[in-house]
Amino acid sequence: MEQWKISILTGVALIILALIFSFIRGGISIWMAIVIVLGVIDIIFGIMRKKKEGI
């Protein structure tokens, strides 16, 4: 699988897991917010890689 796809899927997985864990605990902690931000950054880097490859 191409690197940009892995990056986007990892970011999506991080966000989904953080949201599920937050709902289970009953609120978003600072650590879950950091994980969500990292997931978004990972998705952005994946999109930038895709554009760089010209696909």
Side-chain angles (χ1 to χ4, degrees):
M1 189 180 293
E2 290 126 19
Q3 192 66 29
W4 63 270
K5 286 182 184 177
I6 294 171
S7 182
I8 292 174
L9 290 176
T10 303
V12 170
L14 279 173
I15 293 171
I16 290 172
L17 289 173
L19 290 175
I20 289 172
F21 188 72
S22 295
F23 286 132
I24 290 172
R25 296 212 39 192
I28 295 180
S29 67
I30 187 69
W31 298 109
M32 289 302 108
I34 292 171
V35 170
I36 291 170
V37 169
L38 288 175
V40 171
I41 291 171
D42 200 16
I43 292 171
I44 291 170
F45 277 121
I47 292 171
M48 287 173 39
R49 283 183 185 167
K50 180 181 177 185
K51 288 183 180 180
K52 186 176 180 181
E53 290 179 6
I55 297 175

